[in-house]
Amino acid sequence: MAEFEPKIIGFLCNWCSYAGADLAGVSRYQYPPDIRIIRVMCSARVDPMIVLTLFKEGADGILIGGCHIGDCHYISGNYHTEKRVYVVKKLMEKAGLEVERFRLEWISASEGEKFAKTVTEFTEKIMELGPSKVGEDPELTNRMGAAVDASLDFRIRSLLGHEVGMIENGNVYGETKTEEEMRNIIDIAIEDEFRRSLILGVTSSKPASAKELSQIANLPTERIVEHIATLRQKNLLAIDHVDGMTPYYVALRVGGD
Amino acid sequence: MAEPVGAVMVIGGGISGMQSSLDLANSGFKVYLVERGPSIGGVMSQLDKTFPTNDCAMCIMAPKLVETGRHENIELITNAEVEMIDGRAGNFLVTLKKYPRRINEETCTGCGVCAEKCPTEAIDEFNEGLKHRKAVYVRYPQSVPLVYMIDREKCIGCGICEGECKAGAIEYDEKEKILEINVGSIVLSPGSSKFDPSVRSEYGYGIFKNVLTSLEFERMLSATGPHLGTVVRPSDGDIPKKIAWIQCVGSRDKAKGNSYCSAVCCMYSLKEAIIAKEHFQGIEPTIFFMDMRAYGKDFEKYYIRAEDEAGVRFVRSRVSGVEEDPETKDLTVSYVENGEVVDETFNMVVLSIAMNAPEEAEILSHRLGFKLNIHKFVKAGLFEPLDTTKPGIFVGGAFAGPKDIPGTVAEASGAAARAANVIATSRDSLTKKKEYPAEIDVSEQEPRIGVFVCHCGINIGSVVDVPAVVEYAKTLPNVVYADENLFTCSDDTQTKMKEIINEQKLNRVIVASCSPRTHEPLFQETCRQAGLNQYLFEMANIRDQCSWVHMHEKEEATEKSKDLVRMVVAKSALLDPLQKSKLPVTKSALVIGGGLSGMTAASGLADQGFDVHLVEREKELGGNLRRIQHLLSDVDPQKKLEEIISKVKDNPKVNLHIGSKIEKIEGRIGNFTTTLEGGETIEHGVVIVATGGVEHKPTEYLYGENPNVMTQLEFEEKLTKGEIDLEKSNKIAMIQCVGSRNEERPNCSRICCSEAVKNALKIKEKNPDAEVYVLYKDIRTYGFNEDYFQEASEKGVLFVRYDDDNTPIVNPGQNGLEITLKDPVLDEVLRINADLLILSVPVLPQPDSEDVGRMLKVPLTKDNFFLEAHMKLRPVDFATEGVFLCGLAHGPKFVDESIAQACGAVARAATVLSKDEIEIEPTISHVVDENCDGCAYCIEPCPYDAITLIEYMKNGSVKKTVDVDESACKGCGCCQATCPKEGIFIWKFKLDQLNAMIDACLGVA
């Protein structure tokens, strides 16, 4: 078997981490060659969907580098990055992909050494974890697909969009929410939308019963039945057939696509 | 004394509150309808189907919802509660607290984008917690008012909805408001609440996932429910094969629930079982019950059908407990059958939960100052069933006691009549009559069509290319103006539309937006205000039937929208301006029958200032009430009867025709002429049929052969006259269902069980040592009468069940009458030597009901009671307008029920009599005399019997043609579709109009 050459992608913000990576070069700090850097203007540009899609397509590790909190070129972009990273990690957890494959690090323009060290450590970690099982393990692949779909859901995205504002500036009633309160709200949304995406993902290829979905989703059937209710209201799911007394559901494709 | 305030406050917006409001508003009073929740509709809006017709609840209720919501004299005040009340009958000052909705009721268009974008989910109470809704929501899709509401408890305050709301209706900072409202009388209709079944812990509700309440099951059955009508087990999503209904959960249960019977659960369980099976044939329903109380009109037949046709299994046993298998989540139901404990496994258990008094009963009672009975329902009298203990405050619906929808609606109308009574002199003082500009004459004009295409926020605009539709509309023939609106229905757009109609001299208007079912009246109103005939308006439904259903096919949706617009443009050019015809109203009523119902109706109408002709064929007033000697209450019925008779006799507005028979009735709503035997004629605007019923004369059980066998009424009469000595005749047997619930008369006569209990208690009162046996099939002492049944049992009255296979046998014996009966439970033969045998016989319709029916062209049921317009929602109306119904003529009922229904008939009649003229919709059928050759094909199919064949002399020969009674025609068009020669058509749906649409659709034109 050929030696494992991990596919690691790094998203670096233009103003700090990318400059830090440059400095590492200028300073000749050596690090393993597996990482591929993508420059973004701000770490906040990295959509959870992009990260999750990369994992779904087989990436072994993803690193995001941004400015230290308080140093963001765009005032508070990295604060948002942090919130998104949380969502990505939560969805990875739900999908069953090792969370360690994803790392966020604040690296300033003067921290060339830190950049090299981070990449070295991260690469070692990925080597330790071995190749991603996504693609190989059909269930994990399904769940990663659901994670991608969930990250695209408006509910999670709109909460992400408002989270920081509600913590810092208060909501429309002038109340401020604590980090913990917002976390709870977002956790519920992530859980719901991941499960629903998974149900839709599974049933789009083959009709499934609530009990089968419960096995696949590793969730009590009674919770699956509640999600089925929600999806049926949205007209995203329908009964394909009834076998004995058990309905089998199929995801609905609306429109011409 | 100052004139009373011509306004009524109705508290509670369920079916009862809506009916009261509509009756009052339609008879000249201003109504404030106060609802605690965000929308009206009450429990009925949650129901899937309704017994005994299995009509879809929402389909039959929606028209009432819309009418209530749009009525110019009903002001809806939602999210509001009564804080305090001041003043007295005729002039109350009510203080209301209105809780914030946080969405502006005026500007919200109900488009629903806020809810779509809201990221927070909450438990959906409307679906009994079986699914989720958003934190900004409407209670149900057809909500009235269709205004969203922010659930402040659940809202996280993210502000997304404000950003999404194109109408700018979000008001996060809205505060509570205090409103003060002046009314003359008040109707209470807060409905009921649900019994919490977790109190009966042996059933496992709340612990076992597959144990549901009957209301949860109702939502499961509903097409708008959590699984769109599929019944599934909450535990695993499987369709349950075996479902058990457990009756009387919280009812007839002194220990942990209510002592009374909830009156509706037997029937709704039958319905749920039948419908569940309809939805999925494999379901096997079982109902565990004590007595099956199918006591209402045609209910028994429904019960029989459930067993014979739907295969519902009935087990007469009280369930002692339910256990769950932790693995399969199946449920083991334990019950006793034939003396043995049986454990049977079911996949789902439904608990038929009791109807409790409304949650706010005590607060309302305290704040408004009326009394409650021991069950926390309103305390009312048998002869004043709709009056609370506080003058000027009345009650309708379930708050007066558990009851079904027809009872509720009849009472709600009755409460409206009682409320109107207080303020009758101030009729029309506070109501608005709309003023319209003179109508522009467009008859000579070429069509000038204006097309308004709606974005509906983003509901249409995000799918359909609205500007492209507008540009396309401009290219269509006769279109002189087309434009787009963000919300066509908003107030500012309406104002703009009026200006454009006038500026552009439009003589046809088209709105391409949502459904005409909800919005046509609004736009027609706008046209009228602009001086344009409202029938020159048309709609294209490009939202509900286009953008909402083709969200992912934008191009196709745009093309379809263009087609829909092209089709209505083609029709529009051919529209005719139509005028509503008006019929004058003779402001007096004919009441047929001088019994309790007829007299109540007559004095009710007279008290409201209308002339009444009360016709009674007997020599004296009083009807069946003359024979009733005592009641399940302390009230003396004969004393009450005297009061009622003198009230009728003393009222100068009541013209009595005693000992008179009606020979014929001619005419129609507003203008009837009745001829009495002897030739006297009466002119009147409405008819109330209160012809009553008669006691059945049995042929079985030695009746008529043995002097000691008598009916319940005969017993009462003999007892009162002192012809029976209960010290001597102290062994008394009663047999129930003599002449009812059999093949000849399948229905239950509703009142006999309570009558038997009443007389049994009377016997025990006179002689506590007397032995009383009641031989019955099911004890049907529904509602609060259950308490008397319990009392009778406690006092030692012995109730022994028999069934159709084991009917009692009665023989004359040595020691009185020898009655033998095989007890099906104990499997023993019971022998009673009775001194007296009292037979509970049914109430039968008057033998000449058919003649009355024929005179009035109103139908009868199979068993010859009069058949109302709709079993559920029009219990006192006939399909023939202007003719109403009450009392025993409608079906067996108690004194209080007859009075309530008679009051209901008064309210319904007042909606006609209060008007000077009746408007008739012009979109009805019209005969083209030159095409009609009198073939009469159209007569039979007419569902309203509105068409008659006539002959007249034309150019010296007999010409046959048909004539349409425009007050009877409803415009269905059935006649047009049978006519072979274009001899009859429906205005606005003429052949050329429909053809124009078809041609435009096919691209021919």
Side-chain angles (χ1 to χ4, degrees):
Chain A
M1 189 181 139
E3 205 189 323
F4 172 42
E5 285 176 10
K7 292 191 279 288
I8 301 174
I9 295 101
F11 291 96
L12 303 181
C13 85
N14 183 59
W15 309 96
C16 296
S17 303
Y18 197 85
D22 280 350
L23 179 63
V26 171
S27 315
R28 308 299 191 273
Y29 293 123
Q30 301 299 301
Y31 54 85
D34 307 283
I35 192 164
R36 301 288 177 272
I37 302 296
I38 297 173
R39 182 174 71 116
V40 287
M41 294 312 279
C42 178
S43 59
R45 170 63 189 90
V46 185
D47 189 320
M49 180 270 291
I50 292 178
V51 177
L52 291 163
T53 306
L54 276 168
F55 277 128
K56 190 187 158 213
E57 301 296 324
D60 297 304
I62 296 174
L63 172 74
I64 294 182
C67 307
H68 284 273
I69 293 291
D71 293 350
C72 180
H73 187 79
Y74 302 100
I75 307 169
S76 59
N78 53 4
Y79 196 27
H80 292 280
T81 308
E82 209 177 15
K83 305 292 179 201
R84 285 166 199 179
V85 164
Y86 176 79
V87 170
V88 171
K89 285 188 171 171
K90 269 276 166 194
L91 284 169
M92 287 172 74
E93 247 172 50
K94 305 239 176 245
L97 184 66
E98 303 93 336
V99 178
E100 297 93 321
R101 291 187 188 276
F102 179 49
R103 183 162 172 181
L104 168 69
E105 204 62 58
W106 306 137
I107 300 165
S108 78
S110 60
E111 291 175 323
E113 192 190 354
K114 185 179 179 186
F115 177 77
K117 213 173 136 206
T118 303
V119 173
T120 306
E121 274 174 24
F122 188 57
T123 310
E124 279 166 9
K125 184 77 206 172
I126 299 300
M127 291 300 287
E128 198 185 308
L129 290 169
S132 161
K133 299 277 188 304
V134 179
E136 211 174 283
D137 174 350
E139 277 194 23
L140 177 64
T141 314
N142 271 341
R143 288 200 298 267
M144 276 314 294
V148 173
D149 290 346
S151 72
L152 279 166
D153 185 81
F154 84 94
R155 186 170 164 202
I156 294 172
R157 297 177 83 89
S158 62
L159 284 171
L160 275 177
H162 289 76
E163 185 182 11
V164 173
M166 284 173 41
I167 293 168
E168 297 203 328
N169 311 322
N171 68 8
V172 296
Y173 303 110
E175 307 158 344
T176 48
K177 295 269 176 194
T178 63
E179 295 260 357
E180 205 192 331
E181 282 171 335
M182 282 313 295
R183 277 273 140 95
N184 287 337
I185 290 165
I186 288 182
D187 281 354
I188 293 168
I190 292 172
E191 164 67 17
D192 286 351
E193 298 312 325
F194 173 73
R195 301 295 175 187
R196 290 170 193 167
S197 299
L198 188 58
I199 292 171
L200 289 178
V202 171
T203 53
S204 63
S205 50
K206 185 173 155 273
S209 70
K211 274 174 275 189
E212 288 173 353
L213 289 165
S214 157
Q215 298 252 306
I216 295 166
N218 191 23
L219 194 71
T221 322
E222 56 186 72
R223 294 282 302 136
I224 294 288
V225 173
E226 287 176 27
H227 289 311
I228 287 173
T230 305
L231 292 169
R232 294 207 67 195
Q233 305 300 314
K234 293 185 181 172
N235 208 18
L236 295 171
L237 197 67
I239 295 179
D240 180 79
H241 65 280
V242 178
D243 184 6
M245 301 308 273
T246 305
Y248 281 73
Y249 296 94
V250 62
L252 283 178
R253 250 176 237 284
V254 192
D257 53 336
Chain B
M1 206 183 102
E3 282 293 304
V5 180
V8 181
M9 181 170 290
V10 177
I11 298 172
I15 187 66
S16 181
M18 293 196 293
Q19 184 64 43
S20 296
S21 300
L22 287 170
D23 284 337
L24 285 160
N26 285 330
S27 50
F29 302 102
K30 166 86 188 177
V31 175
Y32 299 93
L33 177 53
V34 180
E35 164 61 42
R36 279 171 101 205
S39 57
I40 58 173
V43 178
M44 188 174 172
S45 62
Q46 285 179 284
L47 304 183
D48 174 44
K49 301 272 177 11
T50 60
F51 60 82
T53 50
N54 287 358
D55 275 319
C56 151
M58 188 50 77
C59 311
I60 57 176
M61 188 176 79
K64 277 197 203 277
L65 274 172
V66 174
E67 193 187 349
T68 308
R70 298 190 53 89
H71 204 290
E72 65 262 30
N73 289 315
I74 299 176
E75 190 174 327
L76 273 185
I77 307 174
T78 49
N79 293 318
E81 283 182 318
V82 176
E83 278 285 287
M84 56 181 271
I85 181 175
D86 211 357
R88 58 176 61 206
N91 192 348
F92 289 113
L93 182 66
V94 188
T95 309
L96 297 177
K97 186 187 268 180
K98 183 168 166 56
Y99 298 97
R101 184 185 276 273
R102 295 192 161 79
I103 292 189
N104 189 307
E105 291 180 18
E106 305 300 317
T107 43
C108 172
T109 62
C111 76
V113 170
C114 53
E116 203 178 296
K117 298 295 177 188
C118 172
T120 315
E121 291 187 357
I123 296 294
D124 182 359
E125 304 88 346
F126 181 76
N127 278 296
E128 295 292 312
L130 293 169
K131 70 176 216 42
H132 292 88
R133 60 158 167 82
K134 294 300 183 65
V136 52
Y137 70 109
V138 283
R139 211 168 98 84
Y140 56 101
Q142 305 83 353
S143 278
V144 169
L146 191 59
V147 174
Y148 278 72
M149 156 137 161
I150 292 175
D151 176 347
R152 182 63 189 87
E153 296 244 305
K154 290 287 176 213
C155 173
I156 59 168
C158 64
I160 290 173
C161 53
E162 188 178 28
E164 295 290 342
C165 180
K166 297 274 185 294
I170 313 285
E171 293 174 356
Y172 294 117
D173 55 355
E174 194 194 346
K175 300 277 182 302
E176 276 175 18
K177 286 185 196 88
I178 297 294
L179 308 173
E180 288 192 332
I181 293 170
N182 216 213
V183 294
S185 50
I186 294 171
V187 174
L188 303 171
S189 48
S192 61
S193 66
K194 295 170 286 186
F195 174 75
D196 172 10
S198 58
V199 174
R200 274 274 167 211
S201 54
E202 68 269 34
Y203 299 141
Y205 179 79
I207 302 162
F208 307 149
K209 269 274 164 186
N210 297 327
V211 177
L212 304 184
T213 68
S214 40
L215 202 52
E216 286 167 359
F217 193 79
E218 194 79 36
R219 290 311 303 153
M220 276 270 188
L221 286 177
S222 171
T224 61
H227 294 272
L228 314 184
T230 311
V231 175
V232 302
R233 304 199 327 157
S235 74
D236 61 11
D238 269 4
I239 298 170
K241 187 171 174 63
K242 289 181 70 182
I243 308 178
W245 273 261
I246 300 178
Q247 297 305 105
C248 300
V249 177
S251 306
R252 306 180 70 184
D253 175 13
K254 233 176 187 169
K256 289 192 174 165
N258 308 305
S259 63
Y260 57 83
C261 156
S262 291
V264 295
C265 329
C266 283
M267 288 306 291
Y268 74 54
S269 301
L270 286 177
K271 172 195 72 180
E272 290 183 352
I274 293 172
I275 304 289
K277 212 166 150 85
E278 263 177 28
H279 284 205
F280 196 81
Q281 271 303 319
I283 288 178
E284 296 169 8
T286 302
I287 299 180
F288 291 93
F289 70 105
M290 298 198 286
D291 294 288
M292 186 49 62
R293 296 193 162 169
Y295 57 84
K297 195 170 183 176
D298 277 354
F299 288 5
E300 186 78 23
K301 280 191 226 157
Y302 195 74
Y303 173 29
I304 296 167
R305 238 171 57 213
E307 189 159 21
D308 294 353
E309 287 171 32
V312 180
R313 173 179 157 231
F314 293 90
V315 180
R316 191 183 294 267
S317 178
R318 186 139 206 169
V319 171
S320 56
V322 176
E323 288 300 330
E324 184 191 62
D325 179 331
E327 281 298 307
T328 61
K329 308 285 178 192
D330 283 339
L331 302 152
T332 304
V333 171
S334 305
Y335 61 97
V336 177
E337 195 171 40
N338 301 325
E340 306 262 320
V341 178
V342 183
D343 288 334
E344 189 177 342
T345 303
F346 289 89
N347 308 113
M348 181 182 269
V349 167
V350 182
L351 305 179
S352 297
I353 51 169
M355 213 188 244
N356 279 13
E359 285 157 16
E360 67 271 38
E362 281 171 309
I363 295 177
L364 275 174
S365 144
H366 176 71
R367 292 186 180 160
L368 274 75
F370 61 89
K371 291 206 175 77
L372 300 177
N373 67 14
I374 51 164
H375 303 298
K376 293 182 185 163
F377 288 82
V378 167
K379 186 182 170 75
L382 268 188
F383 282 84
E384 303 80 21
L386 308 169
D387 296 22
T388 69
T389 52
K390 180 156 175 164
I393 302 184
F394 306 92
V395 62
F399 195 21
K403 60 178 59 69
D404 60 11
I405 293 170
T408 293
V409 173
E411 263 189 18
S413 287
R418 299 292 302 143
N421 210 351
V422 178
I423 54 173
T425 52
S426 297
R427 197 188 300 276
D428 294 328
S429 62
L430 293 174
T431 47
K432 280 182 282 187
K433 277 229 173 72
K434 285 192 183 146
E435 301 289 330
Y436 297 100
E439 209 170 281
I440 305 157
D441 178 13
V442 300
S443 54
E444 300 300 314
Q445 297 174 2
E446 282 297 300
R448 291 180 61 81
I449 302 175
V451 182
F452 298 84
V453 187
C454 190
H455 281 266
C456 192
I458 62 168
N459 276 301
I460 295 170
S462 66
V463 177
V464 172
D465 184 347
V466 171
V469 177
V470 170
E471 286 313 309
Y472 176 73
K474 286 179 182 165
T475 66
L476 294 169
N478 299 313
V479 173
V480 294
Y481 175 89
D483 203 356
E484 58 198 90
N485 302 112
L486 186 56
F487 287 111
T488 311
C489 57
S490 68
D491 263 359
D492 52 331
T493 311
Q494 296 294 290
T495 312
K496 199 180 101 191
M497 264 175 84
K498 275 182 260 177
E499 288 165 11
I500 292 165
I501 291 171
N502 290 324
E503 280 167 21
Q504 301 287 332
K505 301 202 177 345
L506 301 180
N507 55 23
R508 304 285 188 285
V509 175
I510 290 167
V511 171
S513 62
C514 46
S515 171
R517 293 182 59 246
T518 51
H519 282 69
E520 190 175 44
L522 172 78
F523 298 126
Q524 285 188 326
E525 175 71 19
T526 307
C527 290
R528 278 184 88 180
Q529 287 171 5
L532 190 65
N533 185 283
Q534 70 188 84
Y535 298 98
L536 299 172
F537 174 80
E538 270 291 334
M539 276 180 94
N541 188 342
I542 62 167
R543 186 186 72 175
D544 305 41
Q545 297 176 8
C546 188
S547 71
W548 276 355
V549 290
H550 313 300
M551 292 166 83
H552 304 282
E553 297 129 298
K554 299 186 177 183
E555 272 177 39
E556 289 87 345
T558 304
E559 284 314 304
K560 180 173 171 180
S561 298
K562 288 179 182 173
D563 287 352
L564 292 172
V565 168
R566 183 173 71 242
M567 287 160 70
V568 285
V569 164
K571 178 182 179 185
S572 181
L574 301 172
L575 287 176
D576 311 282
L578 304 174
Q579 300 303 331
K580 290 184 177 178
S581 58
K582 289 174 178 174
L583 293 173
V585 175
T586 308
K587 295 201 170 206
S588 73
L590 171 73
V591 178
I592 310 175
L596 175 63
S597 304
M599 288 192 292
T600 305
S603 58
L605 281 170
D607 286 348
Q608 287 199 36
F610 304 113
D611 288 315
V612 181
H613 295 273
L614 179 60
V615 180
E616 167 60 53
R617 62 178 170 191
E618 300 297 329
K619 290 277 173 281
E620 55 184 1
L621 294 169
N624 282 301
L625 186 54
R626 290 214 155 270
R627 303 184 62 190
I628 297 172
Q629 306 301 320
H630 49 263
L631 293 162
L632 282 170
S633 127
D634 302 332
V635 189
D636 175 358
Q638 291 309 315
K639 218 177 117 199
K640 278 283 174 190
L641 177 60
E642 285 316 308
E643 284 173 30
I644 294 166
I645 290 176
S646 51
K647 224 182 133 194
V648 172
K649 284 187 172 163
D650 296 346
N651 197 320
K653 290 263 175 200
V654 181
N655 303 285
L656 286 172
H657 305 267
I658 294 177
S660 302
K661 278 190 187 162
I662 292 172
E663 202 172 80
K664 60 176 180 184
I665 304 172
E666 291 168 312
R668 55 194 187 189
I669 181 168
N671 301 285
F672 290 98
T673 305
T674 292
T675 312
L676 299 179
E677 268 179 13
E680 186 187 348
T681 60
I682 302 167
E683 304 285 321
H684 52 102
V686 296
V687 184
I688 293 180
V689 178
T691 48
V694 292
E695 190 183 39
H696 171 61
K697 287 272 176 240
T699 51
E700 50 272 79
Y701 301 125
L702 306 178
Y703 180 84
E705 295 167 34
N706 186 314
N708 294 323
V709 180
M710 61 199 76
T711 67
Q712 294 283 1
L713 275 179
E714 287 163 357
F715 168 74
E716 281 184 53
E717 285 168 327
K718 284 178 196 266
L719 187 67
T720 311
K721 286 183 192 155
E723 291 168 15
I724 290 172
D725 179 359
L726 288 174
E727 294 298 325
K728 268 206 235 151
S729 305
N730 57 11
K731 275 190 124 180
I732 297 151
M734 299 182 184
I735 301 177
Q736 300 302 105
C737 301
V738 179
S740 58
R741 296 184 67 186
N742 58 16
E743 270 190 25
E744 192 191 348
R745 275 177 293 272
N747 278 311
C748 161
S749 196
R750 186 178 184 114
I751 58 174
C752 344
C753 282
S754 295
E755 245 188 322
V757 165
K758 175 186 82 171
N759 284 338
L761 282 170
K762 189 51 110 185
I763 294 164
K764 282 286 185 184
E765 178 196 314
K766 301 246 179 200
N767 178 6
D769 297 328
E771 281 179 45
V772 186
Y773 297 86
V774 180
L775 313 184
Y776 71 98
K777 288 165 113 174
D778 291 273
I779 285 293
R780 292 182 169 174
T781 47
Y782 61 93
F784 298 142
N785 281 354
E786 176 70 13
D787 288 346
Y788 295 105
F789 166 55
Q790 291 301 333
E791 189 187 331
S793 305
E794 282 158 21
K795 287 190 171 158
V797 175
L798 286 164
F799 291 88
V800 185
R801 219 184 81 72
Y802 74 90
D803 56 33
D804 288 333
D805 302 330
N806 289 304
T807 51
I809 299 161
V810 180
N811 285 308
Q814 298 285 317
N815 308 310
L817 296 149
E818 213 176 85
I819 303 166
T820 48
L821 170 68
K822 206 174 137 207
D823 186 319
V825 179
L826 303 172
D827 201 24
E828 286 169 359
V829 176
L830 176 79
R831 282 176 219 285
I832 307 166
N833 286 314
D835 301 319
L836 293 179
L837 174 61
I838 309 174
L839 305 178
S840 291
V841 295
V843 176
L844 300 186
Q846 291 287 0
D848 59 350
S849 294
E850 275 179 332
D851 300 338
V852 179
R854 215 169 296 125
M855 269 196 287
L856 284 164
K857 298 188 196 85
V858 296
L860 302 170
T861 63
K862 257 195 184 141
D863 35 14
N864 268 2
F865 287 104
F866 286 99
L867 179 62
E868 58 272 37
H870 189 274
M871 282 257 185
K872 214 73 190 171
L873 292 187
R874 295 181 67 193
V876 300
D877 296 13
F878 279 112
T880 307
E881 289 205 57
V883 188
F884 307 95
L885 170 66
C886 60
L888 299 183
H890 163 269
K893 53 182 62 66
F894 291 110
V895 161
D896 49 348
E897 292 171 335
S898 288
I899 293 174
Q901 211 185 17
C903 292
V906 169
R908 301 293 302 139
T911 62
V912 179
L913 296 180
S914 61
K915 294 183 179 71
D916 297 326
E917 48 193 14
I918 305 164
E919 282 191 339
I920 289 172
E921 270 300 317
T923 47
I924 56 174
S925 67
H926 180 81
V927 181
V928 187
D929 191 43
E930 53 274 29
N931 292 351
C932 177
D933 66 355
C935 74
Y937 290 0
C938 56
I939 292 179
E940 191 98 324
C942 175
Y944 299 94
D945 291 332
I947 308 174
T948 40
L949 183 65
I950 54 169
E951 290 176 2
Y952 68 97
M953 295 304 290
K954 190 175 181 184
N955 304 331
S957 62
V958 175
K959 164 86 167 77
K960 279 187 178 177
T961 188
V962 293
D963 182 45
V964 173
D965 176 354
E966 55 175 19
S967 68
C969 175
K970 295 273 172 277
C972 64
C974 199
C975 52
Q976 183 171 3
T978 42
C979 178
K981 11 195 119 79
E982 292 181 40
I984 193 163
F985 67 80
I986 300 290
W987 287 109
K988 226 188 166 196
F989 294 91
K990 288 156 75 174
L991 195 57
D992 62 336
Q993 292 165 344
L994 292 184
N995 277 342
M997 289 186 85
I998 292 160
D999 290 347
C1001 173
L1002 300 175
V1004 179

